[in-house]
Amino acid sequence: MQTAQRLDADEAITTLFAAHYASLVRTASLLVRSSGEAEEIVQDAFVAMHKRWNRLRDPDSAVGYLRRSVVNGARSRHRHHSVADKHLSREAGSTAPAPDPTMAADDRALVLAALDDLPTRQREVLVLRYYNDLPEADIAVALGISNGAVKSHASRGLKALRTNLEDPS
Amino acid sequence: MTSPRHVDPNEGTARLLKTALNEEADMVQTDPTALQRIQNRTSQKQRFRSRWLVPVVAAGVATAAVITAVTVLGDDGRTTADPPPATQPPTAVQEDVEAPLYYVGVQQYVAEGGAAQGMSYLYREVHPVGDGSPLAAARAFLAQEPADPDYQTGWPDGVDVAGIETSGSETVIDLTGDADLETMGDFFPPDEIENAGDAEARATALALQALIASAGITEGTVAFTHDGQPLDTVLGMLVSDGYVVESYADGAWDDGPVRALVSVASPVEGETVTAPVVVTGEGNVFEGNVNWILTDESGAKVDDGFVTTAMGSWKDFEVDLGGLEPGTYTFRALEYSAANGEPLNVDDKTFTVE
């Protein structure tokens, strides 16, 4: 067992928190559309990372692990909501908060609503690509899919988004 | 003029999306106490972990019998991280009760338009389950492999159940063992299906459902703990406000029922039977038509046909295969898609005729 780790688990938490926490919360909140839940998801991811630090070994793979946990966490909340909604037989409505009533806010809400209608994978790829500016290879790691699949989800997602925006139903 | 028309029609959409995402993200405020919260949780976890390890070590030292039992379980492919002996039922070889256990079976099929899709359901198999209590059944579910290799528990190795307490409509399942409970299951080969994310999430929810159903819990909500400590997520699924139980009998989510639409109950996988062979199962499919194909060991078709079951509810079927020659056969029950004729909802069993 190599013990030449530059950081121990506790140090890793502080270092990675400073560098990535805020951006991961923003990513998660774009995926689940709730900032309170986004923080929980990301905090869970850090706790999980701490637990398996000796298997991650270096900060680079840890960031990949954090992103992957965040995407999984967001996916499970998304599913949980659809299941919970069914049990409450709640009418499906817009859950997007509309905090500032400017013109841009309207457009933004439209784009984000159209994004919400896409299949999970496409949504995830588009957020990681157009918000996080991640290269294909990093998106592939975060989602556990191949580079080729990232490419195809991105192009199908954009196309579907354009169709949704041009012809909202 | 050879003006290169490489204008991506989606480029404008991409720009809009980028702006929308960035503006939306900029409005997100993060909790200033977040680091403190994380650190509280990681340090608690450490304390709690080392406390948990103590009785296991103590147990090993205490009696040779316990050491032997743990070794035997380990060789068996079962977890060696068993709970301390105080809560462990005696491993005496008593007559086991038989009861249904439920497993996740994944299906890949070709949807209309040619895209590969993934879908999963619960399948039932009867197994020995110790004294038949919910705890014994849940432990049997996690410890035993399903007979049919197409099924799986969906739970990682090294997880066990230490206790199940039901009060009113609320059940608490106390998990134990040093397994990874934070990662969602891995059911579908990456890339091979269109809706991988949703399909994985459904299959993972079914893994929770499989444990719950195997423990005989059919309604109410389930909270999960790990060695007594509440869990917010299990296998990456959010359970902090109680997992709403769906019944195997008629439970459904938006993306489909919990219970397999076509399944073969007997013979069970790997069973040796004597001719005449009657296959039993159930179906709930389009127009009620369950098709079946019998092949021999070489894969050559021996017989085929269809039986009428039901649509919208489950109905039992029986197929009399008659006097088969001794040998090994595979019986496949399935539905052919009304949309494109592709096989759907396949369940197959390989059995031997003496």
Side-chain angles (χ1 to χ4, degrees), chain B residues 180-207:
Chain B
D180 174 9
L181 292 175
E182 291 168 6
T183 308
M184 194 174 278
D186 193 10
F187 295 89
F188 295 95
D191 273 4
E192 285 181 20
I193 60 168
E194 184 82 354
N195 60 343
D198 298 330
E200 295 286 6
R202 174 179 163 94
T204 307
L206 280 175

Side-chain angles (χ1 to χ4, degrees), chain A residues 10 13-14 17 21-22 25-26 29-30 33 35 37 39-40 42-44 46-48 50-52 65 72-73 75-77 79-80 82-83 86-87 97 99-100 104 108 111-112 115 119-122 126-127 129-131 133 144-146 149 153 155-156 158-159 161-162 165, chain B residues 8-10 13-14 16-31 34-35 37-39 41-43 45-46 49 178-184 190-191 193-198 200-202 205 232-233 236-238 240-242 244-246 252-255:
Chain A
D10 292 334
I13 292 281
T14 9
F17 182 92
Y21 183 78
V25 168
R26 294 190 171 118
S29 82
L30 292 171
R33 310 297 306 283
S35 54
E37 286 193 339
E39 294 236 15
E40 281 172 31
V42 178
Q43 290 173 16
D44 287 350
F46 272 88
V47 171
H50 183 273
K51 191 173 153 189
R52 63 172 60 207
Y65 176 79
N72 278 343
R75 202 183 283 160
S76 115
R77 308 269 162 145
R79 178 182 175 82
H80 174 81
S82 55
V83 172
K86 185 199 145 211
H87 281 277
D100 64 345
R108 191 163 65 225
V111 175
L112 295 174
L115 181 69
T120 313
R121 267 298 194 242
Q122 294 180 5
L126 291 182
V127 167
R129 174 177 234 175
Y130 291 105
Y131 170 64
D133 284 324
I145 61 179
S146 72
H153 285 307
S155 75
R156 267 183 251 166
L158 265 191
K159 194 170 164 215
L161 191 66
R162 182 163 64 104
L165 286 171
Chain B
D8 183 346
N10 295 324
T13 313
L16 264 182
L17 177 63
K18 201 175 169 67
T19 311
L21 289 174
N22 278 290
E23 287 183 6
E24 180 80 3
D26 282 347
M27 299 194 303
V28 174
Q29 303 287 327
T30 57
D31 174 1
L35 180 59
R37 282 167 187 274
I38 293 168
Q39 285 170 336
R41 287 173 63 190
T42 52
S43 57
K45 207 150 215 162
Q46 286 305 100
R49 234 167 211 285
D178 192 14
D180 174 9
L181 292 175
E182 291 168 6
T183 308
M184 194 174 278
D191 273 4
I193 60 168
E194 184 82 354
N195 60 343
D198 298 330
E200 295 286 6
R202 174 179 163 94
D232 287 341
T233 61
M237 305 303 289
L238 182 71
S240 51
D241 41 0
V244 180
V245 176
E246 291 292 344
W253 296 310
D254 290 347
D255 50 6

Side-chain angles (χ1 to χ4, degrees), chain B residues 70 73-74 76-83 139 143 157-160 176-178:
Chain B
V70 168
L73 289 174
D76 223 17
R78 288 167 75 165
T79 170
T80 51
D82 275 333
R139 297 192 72 207
D157 290 341
V159 58
D160 197 359
T176 187
D178 192 14

Side-chain angles (χ1 to χ4, degrees), chain A:
Chain A
M1 216 15 129
Q2 273 297 337
T3 47
Q5 289 164 16
R6 274 167 303 168
L7 300 173
D8 74 14
D10 292 334
E11 289 164 349
I13 292 281
T14 9
T15 309
L16 290 162
F17 182 92
H20 300 283
Y21 183 78
S23 116
L24 287 167
V25 168
R26 294 190 171 118
T27 305
S29 82
L30 292 171
L31 291 171
V32 293
R33 310 297 306 283
S34 148
S35 54
E37 286 193 339
E39 294 236 15
E40 281 172 31
I41 290 168
V42 178
Q43 290 173 16
D44 287 350
F46 272 88
V47 171
M49 184 200 75
H50 183 273
K51 191 173 153 189
R52 63 172 60 207
W53 178 249
N54 54 5
R55 273 175 281 166
L56 292 166
R57 287 194 211 92
D58 71 87
D60 281 351
S61 59
V63 174
Y65 176 79
L66 284 173
R67 281 197 201 109
R68 198 170 179 151
S69 308
V70 165
V71 170
N72 278 343
R75 202 183 283 160
S76 115
R77 308 269 162 145
H78 215 259
R79 178 182 175 82
H80 174 81
H81 287 316
S82 55
V83 172
D85 283 354
K86 185 199 145 211
H87 281 277
L88 298 174
S89 33
R90 204 190 286 151
E91 275 295 297
S94 167
T95 52
D100 64 345
T102 65
M103 235 175 75
D106 278 357
D107 287 348
R108 191 163 65 225
L110 275 180
V111 175
L112 295 174
L115 181 69
D116 267 355
D117 285 342
L118 298 184
T120 313
R121 267 298 194 242
Q122 294 180 5
R123 223 159 31 85
E124 292 166 356
V125 168
L126 291 182
V127 167
L128 294 177
R129 174 177 234 175
Y130 291 105
Y131 170 64
N132 298 72
D133 284 324
L134 288 185
E136 244 158 55
D138 289 356
I139 300 178
V141 170
L143 301 187
I145 61 179
S146 72
N147 288 10
V150 170
K151 221 186 279 270
S152 77
H153 285 307
S155 75
R156 267 183 251 166
L158 265 191
K159 194 170 164 215
L161 191 66
R162 182 163 64 104
T163 316
N164 285 356
L165 286 171
E166 282 167 0
D167 180 25
S169 45

